[in-house]
Structures are given as C-alpha cells and as structure tokens.
Amino acid sequence: MSISAQLPLEDYEHGYYFPDQSVFKTKKGLDESVVRAISARKNEPEWMLNYRLKAYQTFLKKDFPNWGADIGDIDFDEIYYYAKPVDKQQRSWDDVPDDIKETFDRIGIPEAEKKFLAGVGAQYDSEVVYHSLKEEISKQGVIFCDPETAVREHPEIVKKYFGTIIPHTDNKFAALNSAVWSGGSFVYVPKGVHVDIPLQAYFRINSENFGQFERTLIIAEEGSFVHYIEGCTAPVYTTDSLHSAVVEIIAKEGARVRYSTIQNWSGDIYNLVTKRAFAYKNATVEWVDGNIGSKRTMKYPSVFLKEPGAHGEILSIAYSGFNQEQDTGGKVVHLADDTTSVITSKSISKDGGISTYRGLIKVADGVKNAKSRVTCDALIIDDKSVSNTFPYMEVTSDDAVLEHEASVSKISEDQLFYLMSRGLDEESASTMIVNGFLDPLVKELPMEYAVELNRLIELEMEKSIG
Amino acid sequence: MQTLTIKNLTAEVDGKQILNGINLEINTGEIHALMGPNGSGKSTLSNVLAGHPDYTVTGGTISLNGEDLLEMSVSKRSLAGLFLAFQQPMEVPGLTIGKYLKRIVELRLAEGERMNVSAFIKDLKSNLDTVGLSHDFINRYLNEGFSGGEKKRMELIQMMMLEPSFAILDEIDSGLDIDALKTVATGVNKLKGGDFGALIITHYQRIMENIKPDFVHILYQGRIVKSGGRDLVDMLEAKGYGWVREEFNIPEEADEYQRTIAS
Ligand SMILES: Nc1ncnc2c1ncn2[C@@H]1O[C@H](COP(=O)(O)OP(=O)(O)OP(=O)(O)O)[C@@H](O)[C@H]1O
Ligand SMILES: [Mg+2]
C-alpha cells in the first residue's frame, strides 16, 4: 500500500478528488478498436489514425526495458486509455465546469494566470478543457494549443515534425503513447520571436485507473526563444495508474528552448516519460526536471547536439520517499564539433526511497572539441534509503573533455543539532537542510515554481515523520 | 531576574567521564568567564547545556528558572532562552542566512503574532554593521565558505537576533583579529543588562578588557577549581595552568588521567 493511501484524504494537500464525470471513456484495456475509437473521437485525419495503428503494433512487439526501475507489475488490461471529461474546448474560465474549476482552483491556476501566464493550457484528464493565449503572443505568430487542434489546424507543421524526434519505434512506452496519445501541448515559435513569459500547462489525472498519455511538441525556429513550464499534481488513488508522456523539442539554429517540469504524482503512479530534443547550430536546449512522488519514475530527458555550437543542459531533481523509486537522469549525444553539455542531478532519498541517477554522455566518432560536465549529488536522509549512480560515458572521439563528479551525503547529526539548538524541531531542521541541498537548482526555476517545490518538499518531509 | 543553575553535574562522552561535578550559577545581568586548559571540558559543558545527543549526563542537575533543563529537547532549551555560540559552527549549504534567521526569529513570536519583516531586516542590517559583516551576507549560505572569523561573527549575529536570556560563547574570540575582538565585545555589551547573562569561554585575557566579566572560573579536569574576579585572569596570564595544579594540590595521577583522555 502506498503511503498516500494510508493517509486520510484531507491530510494530503492535493489529495482531493471529485466524482468521475467523464463524458466519454474507452473500455478498459487496449486493443485496435480502442485506438480507433480514440482517433474517431478526435475526428482525426487518416494519416494520424494510421500512425496510431502502426505504433500500436510496435507497442505489442516491444519488450519492457530490461534495466531501470521494476515496472513489470503494470497491468495494461486494467487501464482506461482514454477519457473525455467535457465536450468542447472551453475558451473562457467561466465556461469551465465547476468541479473542474474547483480542482484547478486548489492547484492555483487562476492565481498563476493572473500573475504572469501568457497562455494557459490546462489539461483535465486527456482533453484540454481550457486554453487561452494572450493576444500579443499569437500576434507574433506563436502557436500554443493542444496537439489535437494542431493536427486539425496546422497539419503541415505537425506532419513535418511529429514523431521525428521520438519515433514510435523508440521504446515500448513511446509506442504506447504514439498509439493512444491525447492532449498535451503544441508550441510553435516563428523565426526570431522571443516569448518573454513562460508558457504553462497543467496536467492532472482525475479518473481512477486512467492512464494519461499526453503528447507535447515544441518547435523553435531560428533564433527564437521560449520557456515552457509544466507542473503536475495528482490526486490520491488506491490502485496503480500509468502516466506515459512523450515530449519532442526541436531547437533550430540559434534558438533556445527551456522546458521546466515539476511533477508531484501521488504514490501509486507509474511515471514513464520519454523526452528528447534536437539542438541545431548554436542552439540551446535546457531541461529542468523535478520529480516528486509517484511509485516509479523512469525519465531521462535527452538532448541530441546535432550541429556545431549546440549546447544542452539538464537539471534533474528527484525526491524518493516511502515505496518510491525515482530512476532519473539525462542523456546527451554530441554529434557535432564544439558542442557542450552540462548535466546536474540532485536526489534525495528518505524512508526507504530509492533514487537512481542514470545518465549517458555520448560523443560520436570524429567529433572535435566536445565538452561535458556531469555532477550528481545525492542526499540520503536515513539508513533505510538508497541512492545509486550510473553515469555511462561512450566516447569514441579523442578530442572530448568529460568531467564527472558525484557525491553522496547524509544529513549529519551535528548539522541537525546546530539548527535545532536555534529552536527548530528536528523535522524543520532536516527540511531546511534538504531545501538547502536543492537550493542551487531551485534558483533556476521561476519564482512561483521554486516556492511550490519548497512547499512540496516540506509536505513530503512532514508526511513520514509525523 | 532569571537563573541558570548547574549542580554537581557529571557527564560523559564516548564512555569517558569528562565533567566531574560542576557547580555554577549564572543570573541575568552577570557575565561569567570560564577558562581552562585544552581538553578540560569547556566545550563539553556547552554541549551538555545545549543538549547534544552524544553527551550523556550521568549525574547532577541543570535548571533554568527552577525548571529542569535536562528534561527539555534541544529546541525547547533554545526557545526557553538558552543560546550557544559554537566553537565550531556547522555549514549548511544552500540555506541562505536571511531565510534562516527569519525562520528562527519567527519561532520566538507569540501565537498569532506576525513578523514585522521590514523591522527584522533593519535589525539584521544593523547587527551586521555591529559585527563588521557586509549586508551581502544576508544572501550567503549559512557558514558555507566563511573564514574562521566570519563564522564567529555569524554566531554573534544569531545571538543578537535571538536575544537569549543566557548565552554561552565557546571561544568566540579565537581566530578573531583585534578589531573583530572589539566588535564581539560591542555585540555582547549590546545585550548586556538586566535580561541577559553570559558564560564566556576563552583562553585569552584580551577579550576581558572589552567585556568585563563579573566572575571568572577555572575549569580543570572537569571541575571548577577556582572562582573569583578579574584578578584571576591576570594570575593565569602570568603563571599558566601549572600553578592551578600546585595551588590546589591536584594529585599527579589526575594529570596522568588528563594525558590518557587527551590521547
Ligand atoms: N564527541 C566526543 N567524542 C569523544 N571525545 C570527546 C567528544 N567531545 C569531547 N571529547 C573529549 O572530551 C575532552 C574534553 O573536550 P572539550 O572539547 O570539552 O575540551 P575543551 O575544554 O573545550 O578544550 P579546548 O580548549 O581545546 O576547546 C577531550 O579529551 C575531548 O577529546
Ligand atoms: Mg572547546
């Protein structure tokens, strides 16, 4: 039983949920008819249906990865692959059904929007129900919508890029997502356009046993800039649920894309996400990836540095508590000269949680002047908890500089005593040490997210000691 | 007036008895100095007072205004008005000083009382000025990468922000340059008065020139062997601790013991 299931609902900040009012749901389990039903429901063109069907065949053929966290107990027949809570896309906040609004209210979406949201793509179950984009940005030619809309309204762009960064043949879960994807975000930034305010989307699972398979595609044309932010809080359930997203990013010459995620899944979710970016000449892609909660997470955002001068950066933050395993890290492939990358990982393990850093730096044959720095710091809070580090390097070029630093630390009794001697109780003192450990990374997040992450860590720390 | 009373205190660490029956009473309004050779148990006494889990009290009592201090948790002792400036302050990477101090000051607010943040910041800045640290320290991580002297000053800042009833300053003057010594004195004297008492642990007489202690105690092998006024300090400066042994007829075997525990 997961820790969240043991707690009364009101004890878990985001553990409320509302009666399942899905308007439409596919049957439990997955077969070709389910894939067809999803596609039909979305009135998709033939080419997308065919893509889904091909992907479904790939899914059947692919095995589970034979490494990483143990995910063998996922029962694909027990999952609903599609649920649609409301019939039509809502344009204004007023039109959003009350219970959905209330859910959003508690996550704080309207607040966030008031403050600095450019566009809000909020996902309730598998369909985007609320979406607004400030006028200035659409005037600049930026497209920010759900991928269904993009398929309908911008098929030429979608066809050109969809599945080119992460083909459905990539891995079993990418295949699954490609077959049943629903919702997510589509972002297109034209040449030279700088989107000043972060684009944000919120995802939330609110149907029991319901797998969420959102699909995100971000295309940044030459010299453009965009920061996309995604945050997740999931309600508490007692049975396992699957989240398997695919995120593809293309950063063309001189473009910069930053993608920040903080995920706080409840303790019963399998979180298996494939994230990959292609960075072209002098382009920069940054992934900031915070993982809190979930039963098992496997997530290794990656950047392929395809042309000279490209730069990739991955910041990974993981917190594993009771019954949780975070198998996270990053991957950078240096395919061209003068490419640079930085991977920074910070993990915290507590109450028997397992945090694993798994990373790969690959420098292709003949590549000149590639530089990469990998830093992994792990903090272990108690003797029951575990931290692993698997930093793989595959380097065939002889003109590459690779640095790797790893540290594992424990909260020291003297540190705790020092803080407690100022009046802090043990829990607050260790929370301060943990937040301090994360601070250099948290500073990279927008203010609002930094605050949220700190608060989430506090909740997690309270959960087990109390 | 408040009172901190230590009676017949014995304590051990790692199975070794270090404190061999300490008797000491400190009232608010009084400044006490505690001197004694290396390894005589000065920091052990500080740690026992603050409640460090490695130190076991094997006998005796400590009371704060009649309440049993030994029954209180580490944080409760602090909230009850006891403060320890550490001989070796810990580093807490990532914890900014501003955030940290705000939090520990907030802990002292009465229920329902809200912190006046601008007053807090004003206070903090003025205290930084007093000890001679730049305002940039507000955004530094707690003690991380601080020089020895900066760490000592940061201990003082914490004391000034928390305004304890009793402060134990464990070698606050070691590693400080002469100017800094004066600022330490300014810091302590700022609090000195009816509501504040201090136990200043030191090896040097210089700090006494600026902070004038009312009482001086000599700790030797876990016992306070002599208490007196400031003239004791001059005696020590002139004669060293060998004099103490002769004067008080401490048997050679005790020295033997001293060597054993020091090794
Ligand atoms: N945590 C500990 N574990 C083992 N031994 C300890 C510990 N703390 C203190 N001791 C021992 O207790 C004795 C007294 O140490 P203490 O630190 O109290 O001396 P002190 O008077 O503060 O000396 P100094 O002037 O050098 O600071 C020493 O022999 C020391 O090694
Ligand atoms: Mg000492």
Side-chain angles (χ1 to χ4, degrees), chain A residues 392-444:
Chain A
Y392 300 104
M393 308 229 169
E394 283 175 28
V395 183
T396 39
S397 152
D398 51 12
D399 187 14
V401 180
L402 274 69
E403 291 170 39
H404 174 75
E405 262 178 59
S407 77
V408 180
S409 46
K410 272 196 163 186
I411 291 190
S412 84
E413 197 172 64
D414 284 324
Q415 239 176 356
L416 274 178
F417 174 65
Y418 185 69
L419 295 180
M420 286 161 71
S421 78
R422 304 305 186 224
L424 294 158
D425 58 31
E426 183 169 352
E427 180 190 314
S428 316
S430 46
T431 303
M432 281 189 134
I433 295 170
V434 168
N435 277 332
F437 170 77
L438 292 178
D439 194 73
L441 276 200
V442 170
K443 275 211 285 234
E444 300 292 323

Side-chain angles (χ1 to χ4, degrees), chain A residues 7 21 57 75 82 129 148 162 173 181 185 190 196 224 261 270 274 288 295 299 317 349 355 365 399 406 413 456-457:
Chain A
L7 291 163
Q21 291 185 359
Q57 290 306 318
D75 186 350
Y82 180 73
V129 290
E148 286 84 349
F162 190 95
F173 290 95
W181 69 266
S185 288
D196 300 326
S224 66
T261 322
Y270 288 91
T274 310
V288 177
K295 181 174 184 174
K299 187 151 45 131
I317 304 168
S349 317
S355 300
D365 220 2
D399 187 14
E413 197 172 64
L456 288 173
I457 297 275

Side-chain angles (χ1 to χ4, degrees), chain A residues 412-415 417-426 428 432-433 435-437 439-440 443 454 458, chain B residues 47 50-52 54 74-75 78 83-84 86 89-91 93-94 100 103-104 107-108 141 143 155 158:
Chain A
S412 84
E413 197 172 64
D414 284 324
Q415 239 176 356
F417 174 65
Y418 185 69
L419 295 180
M420 286 161 71
S421 78
R422 304 305 186 224
L424 294 158
D425 58 31
E426 183 169 352
S428 316
M432 281 189 134
I433 295 170
N435 277 332
F437 170 77
D439 194 73
K443 275 211 285 234
N454 280 338
E458 264 153 43
Chain B
N47 278 311
H52 194 294
D54 284 355
V74 176
S75 50
S78 164
F83 179 85
L84 170 60
F86 284 67
M90 299 302 297
E91 301 189 0
Y100 164 67
R103 184 74 185 276
I104 60 179
L107 289 172
R108 270 97 184 149
Y141 292 149
N143 293 328
E155 293 297 287
Q158 294 175 57

Side-chain angles (χ1 to χ4, degrees), chain A residues 335-351:
Chain A
L335 295 165
D337 296 347
D338 307 314
T339 45
T340 49
S341 64
V342 178
I343 300 181
T344 312
S345 155
K346 294 239 177 195
S347 74
I348 294 154
S349 317
K350 184 165 186 288
D351 298 314

Side-chain angles (χ1 to χ4, degrees), chain B residues 13-14 16 18 37-44 55 87 171 203 261:
Chain B
V13 58
D14 230 12
K16 285 177 294 186
I18 307 293
N38 295 136
S40 57
K42 302 179 299 298
S43 295
T44 300
Y55 297 79
Q87 185 172 357
E171 296 198 22
H203 288 294
I261 58 171

Side-chain angles (χ1 to χ4, degrees), chain B residues 101-129:
Chain B
L101 290 176
K102 178 167 173 280
R103 184 74 185 276
I104 60 179
V105 167
E106 262 169 353
L107 289 172
R108 270 97 184 149
L109 297 177
E111 203 161 309
E113 193 186 343
R114 280 195 52 185
M115 180 174 213
N116 179 341
V117 178
S118 55
F120 163 80
I121 292 171
K122 219 177 121 209
D123 245 23
L124 175 54
K125 286 184 174 167
S126 113
N127 286 332
L128 284 165
D129 294 340

